[in-house]
Amino acid sequence: MPFANMRDRLIYLAVWFACLGPILWFIFQGFTDDLGANPIEYIIRQLGVWGLRLLMVSLAITPAAKLLRQPRLIRYRRTVGLWAFAYIALHLSTYVGIDHFFNWPEIGKDILKRPYITIGMTAFVLLVPLAVTSTNGMLRRLGPKNWKRLHQLVYVIVPLGVTHYYLLVKKDVRPPVVYGVIVTILLGYRLYAWARQRRERALKAAAKAAA
Amino acid sequence: MLIRSAPDLRDCDVTDRGLYLRRREFIYGAGALAAAGTLGLSAAEAAPLKVAKKTNLAGDEKPTSLKNITSYNNFYEFGTGKEDPAANAGSFKTRPWTVVVDGECMKPMRFSIDDLTKRYPLEERIYRMRCVEAWSMVIPWVGFPLASLLNDVQPTAKAKFVTFETLNDPKQMPGQRDRTLDWPYREGLRIDEATNPLTLLAVGMYGETMPNQNGAPIRLVTPWKYGFKSAKSIVHIRLQERQPATSWNLANAHEYGFYSNVNPEVDHPRWSQASERRIGEFFRRKTLPFNGYADQVASLYRGMDLQKNF
């Protein structure tokens, strides 16, 4: 465990179990015959939705840490991000291994022909390098600058995830639209912070030049 | 004196004669209610129906459980989630209920739901039901052929199409408070489709009156078409000359055609229709042309390009 003091360890455990919670809940529902009439579809959708939610939580951690002046929050970002990856990997495995039972020609056609699946697959493929480079060793090898640049891919991945969701909904698009609005706010905040930083730098440089 | 009058019994304590004579029905009803209760149906509506004839048109395929049929529904009038209709249709009032049949016919008529079930002998038909979302069920419907009803109103030569309209009542149907579809829900058939012997007006399933979430008290069943063609909770049937505008076609003409015959060769633009998941089964099944009813209905579409007329 990466945390020295007891309090941080407890928080870490709480975050870990909060992320595990939905899976435990599905298992419980499975044992109590509570997954509904179409359990395969239910599980696939739930895993996908929870993967997206956790990605959004991981996106919210940075602004939250800044706005609340709690830089320690950043430490939990990786845990949440990796859990998001776990949910999305399970989401994809359930689609491949259970929904289509490894019917590769059918799955291949889906990926090429169905925009929502093409987009979902793209998002997953982009997510893999982020999961692989999540270790401290990889961070050191890449160097913080490259590592950060690589992990900014998540700004592309999350909107792809929301689009994937939006495109598969038959008619009632309200839930994916709500997610879209939240993601827009989370990414909009970054754009705003970035623009402000640039302006401040330019002002400082101008002040220096004047002096 | 041992013989005592019974001062605690008054006139109003005596069971009404009519009620007394119907005491067995009452016990029947109570039994059905208890059964419905254990199945998770809203108790008020399930009553046994007398069935004159039974036909199995789903081969040796096992009917889907009543629990699954009544808990996984697309009935947007009660919400867009699959569990919403079961959750929100419990207090839906299906009696009194009037069905108006008019338009291009010699004898327009109005029926109460009970007139209909008395007038037309009810039969059980076990049909496959294929949803446009690529899942399917096997359902033992109880109803009567739409052809019998249309025959009685005497369609004119101008009656080329039939439209079906669902009740429009946002007070009772919370889903109608949102503009997810253009209410009231409307569906339509060509007259030869409507009079095909497979086309059923269903008033029940599994030998009892229709559960609210499945389209009580009366709905259409066209087993060779995607499920959304079968309008639920019908109040108006109209014969007309022009092809009617239909709800899902209005919502997205590119994805939902007027015919909407089950066809594994014509994909939904966003997903494949080649296979389906039968509710209750693990492996997908191959989807059959006309949902396996080609022998009965393929002739209706002879010479038509089904890729275009999807």
Side-chain angles (χ1 to χ4, degrees):
Chain A
M1 221 170 275
F3 302 109
N5 78 51
M6 198 60 190
R7 206 191 70 159
D8 284 357
R9 273 186 201 185
L10 282 176
I11 296 176
Y12 177 76
L13 269 180
V15 169
W16 208 86
F17 275 102
C19 292
L20 181 64
I23 288 186
L24 292 177
W25 176 241
F26 306 146
I27 293 172
F28 175 76
Q29 284 182 308
F31 278 114
T32 54
D33 194 19
D34 213 16
L35 294 170
N38 197 347
I40 298 173
E41 182 201 65
Y42 175 80
I43 287 291
I44 292 181
R45 299 253 162 116
Q46 288 293 313
L47 287 169
V49 161
W50 277 101
L52 184 57
R53 286 177 186 163
L54 290 177
L55 276 180
M56 285 161 60
V57 170
S58 78
L59 269 187
I61 287 177
T62 315
K66 279 187 191 159
L67 294 171
L68 302 171
R69 298 180 199 286
Q70 288 286 335
R72 288 140 55 99
L73 280 176
I74 302 283
R75 300 199 233 177
Y76 307 103
R77 193 173 54 187
R78 173 159 54 181
T79 311
V80 175
L82 275 171
W83 268 108
F85 178 74
Y87 274 87
I88 290 159
L90 280 172
H91 168 70
L92 177 62
S93 322
T94 315
Y95 160 76
V96 169
I98 298 182
D99 192 16
H100 285 279
F101 205 73
F102 306 103
N103 185 345
W104 297 113
E106 198 59 43
I107 294 165
K109 254 193 266 167
D110 259 3
I111 294 173
L112 294 177
K113 270 176 79 176
R114 318 281 162 213
Y116 85 91
I117 295 182
T118 317
I119 289 173
M121 275 306 296
T122 310
F124 177 76
V125 168
L126 293 178
L127 206 51
V128 171
L130 306 203
V132 171
T133 59
S134 69
T135 60
N136 288 333
M138 284 307 273
L139 171 62
R140 232 175 297 123
R141 243 172 284 172
L142 284 170
K145 221 175 188 174
N146 286 330
W147 190 88
K148 197 177 164 188
R149 211 175 284 159
L150 175 66
H151 280 249
Q152 279 171 343
L153 264 181
V154 78
Y155 302 157
V156 179
I157 293 166
V158 179
L160 286 177
V162 174
T163 312
H164 167 68
Y165 185 13
Y166 179 88
L167 286 178
L168 90 94
V169 169
K170 197 163 117 197
K171 189 77 210 322
D172 187 2
V173 295
R174 285 169 294 186
V177 166
V178 169
Y179 286 19
V181 169
I182 297 172
V183 169
T184 307
I185 293 168
L186 290 172
L187 295 182
Y189 168 81
R190 285 169 166 81
L191 196 65
Y192 163 78
W194 173 79
R196 209 175 66 166
Q197 211 180 23
R198 236 174 89 112
R199 222 186 82 213
E200 271 166 19
R201 256 190 227 146
L203 282 177
K204 257 185 211 161
K208 233 183 204 169
Chain B
M1 272 280 250
L2 290 170
I3 300 166
R4 289 172 48 194
S5 64
D8 50 339
L9 275 182
R10 284 162 293 158
D11 260 8
C12 62
D13 293 321
V14 176
T15 307
D16 173 80
R17 183 183 146 84
L19 264 183
Y20 171 77
L21 290 174
R22 284 190 281 126
R23 67 196 181 277
R24 293 210 160 81
E25 281 177 50
F26 174 77
I27 293 168
Y28 252 50
L33 286 187
T38 59
L39 288 165
L41 297 176
S42 166
E45 70 244 32
L49 292 169
K50 263 198 208 124
V51 170
K53 185 168 111 181
K54 295 189 177 191
T55 323
N56 181 359
L57 283 146
D60 52 4
E61 296 167 44
K62 218 178 117 232
T64 307
S65 74
L66 184 58
K67 185 182 174 225
N68 282 343
I69 298 176
T70 53
S71 62
Y72 192 74
N73 306 100
N74 277 327
F75 194 174
Y76 279 23
E77 280 80 346
F78 292 104
T80 55
K82 292 281 187 299
E83 309 78 21
D84 291 348
N88 299 333
S91 59
F92 180 54
K93 271 186 66 182
T94 57
R95 241 150 267 245
W97 189 277
T98 311
V99 181
V100 175
V101 189
D102 61 9
E104 289 294 342
C105 59
M106 308 295 282
K107 285 187 169 172
M109 294 196 205
R110 292 171 81 87
F111 299 94
S112 81
I113 186 67
D114 297 313
D115 293 342
L116 282 172
T117 55
K118 265 179 226 145
R119 186 178 172 119
Y120 301 102
L122 299 180
E123 40 180 303
E124 178 175 276
R125 299 266 185 102
I126 305 181
Y127 283 158
R128 286 179 286 270
M129 202 283 294
R130 169 66 156 77
C131 178
V132 74
E133 296 165 3
W135 53 267
S136 62
M137 295 182 176
V138 174
I139 305 178
W141 301 106
V142 176
F144 56 91
L146 174 62
S148 315
L149 174 68
L150 293 181
N151 199 34
D152 285 354
V153 298
Q154 299 177 13
T156 66
K158 281 185 173 173
K160 304 258 167 59
F161 293 91
V162 187
T163 75
F164 305 86
E165 211 172 280
T166 298
L167 179 72
N168 188 20
D169 185 357
K171 269 197 199 115
Q172 287 204 79
M173 296 174 140
Q176 288 179 334
R177 291 170 214 159
D178 300 319
R179 309 280 330 152
T180 39
L181 289 171
D182 187 14
W183 314 113
Y185 194 89
R186 277 154 292 164
E187 258 311 333
L189 297 172
R190 227 167 49 188
I191 189 85
D192 56 345
E193 298 176 318
T195 51
N196 184 280
L198 279 185
T199 305
L200 211 62
L201 278 175
V203 295
M205 63 166 67
Y206 269 110
E208 295 186 336
T209 47
M210 192 71 75
N212 288 349
Q213 58 268 45
N214 294 86
I218 185 164
R219 63 168 290 171
L220 186 66
V221 179
T222 46
W224 72 97
K225 292 174 178 286
Y226 293 119
F228 70 86
K229 287 296 290 180
S230 298
K232 302 184 178 83
S233 306
I234 294 169
V235 291
H236 197 167
I237 298 174
R238 195 185 313 107
L239 292 135
Q240 59 189 66
E241 191 170 13
R242 287 168 174 262
Q243 178 174 311
T246 57
S247 290
W248 277 99
N249 185 248
L250 284 170
N252 192 339
H254 175 61
E255 297 187 342
Y256 309 101
F258 174 76
Y259 289 96
S260 285
N261 294 319
V262 175
N263 190 344
E265 319 251 295
V266 178
D267 285 340
H268 186 283
R270 288 182 283 157
W271 56 81
S272 163
Q273 296 291 27
S275 68
E276 68 202 49
R277 167 151 292 108
R278 176 68 47 82
I279 296 302
E281 292 182 355
F282 181 80
F283 293 105
R284 281 175 169 268
R285 286 171 174 261
K286 280 211 167 346
T287 291
L288 303 170
F290 299 106
N291 203 20
Y293 299 103
D295 287 349
Q296 291 95 327
V297 298
S299 60
L300 296 172
Y301 310 102
R302 201 163 286 147
M304 277 175 70
D305 180 352
L306 296 178
Q307 299 278 334
K308 246 185 230 158
N309 297 286
F310 59 86

